[in-house]
């Protein structure tokens, strides 16, 4: 937590950066999309409502060759904050709008989920 704080990020953002960085290196792809679950209760009036309001965010990061970890962390942090601002958009709607190629071999948009508990 202190390392994340020193770099101006949350522990989630720090660990997500390390995870996405590792996926980029292993896959040889600079563009990495990872899903993450969100609580789905951004409005105060929903806090006392009983029910399942979870949603999934697709967090996309493009790593540049020669990026330092701090630069990559800033990019992930900015992406996470931007994505959280749009967390009300249902994942199914995102898939409908993007219309990614569909196949039974893997799910649309992302193939890896990252959850910090």
């Amino acid at each position: 937590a202190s390392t994340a704080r020193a770099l101006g990020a949350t522990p989630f953002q720090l660990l997500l950066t390390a995870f996405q960085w590792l996926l980029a290196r292993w896959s040889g792809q600079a563009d990495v999309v990872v899903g993450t679950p969100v609580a789905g209760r951004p409005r105060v009036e929903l806090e006392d409502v009983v029910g399942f309001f979870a949603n999934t965010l697709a967090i996309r990061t493009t790593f540049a060759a020669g990026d330092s970890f701090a630069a990559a962390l800033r990019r992930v942090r900015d992406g996470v904050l931007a994505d959280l601002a749009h967390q009300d958009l249902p994942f199914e709607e995102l898939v409908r709008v993007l219309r990614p190629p569909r196949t039974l071999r893997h799910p649309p948009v992302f193939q890896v989920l990252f959850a910090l508990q």
Side-chain angles (χ1 to χ4, degrees), residues 56-71:
T56 305
L57 288 180
I59 300 174
R60 181 179 186 178
T61 305
T62 303
F63 296 99
D67 262 355
S68 67
F69 187 79

Side-chain angles (χ1 to χ4, degrees), residues 3-70:
T3 301
R5 194 172 22 259
L7 294 170
T10 65
F12 172 81
Q13 293 162 349
L14 178 78
L15 292 171
L16 179 61
T17 301
F19 184 63
Q20 285 187 308
W21 185 306
L22 183 64
L23 288 174
R25 298 287 187 247
W26 280 352
S27 68
Q29 298 178 5
D31 193 14
V32 178
V33 182
V34 172
T36 192
V38 291
R41 293 182 185 260
R43 296 190 304 268
V44 175
E45 63 269 15
L46 294 177
E47 288 179 359
D48 294 328
V49 177
V50 176
F52 187 67
F53 288 91
N55 195 12
T56 305
L57 288 180
I59 300 174
R60 181 179 186 178
T61 305
T62 303
F63 296 99
D67 262 355
S68 67
F69 187 79

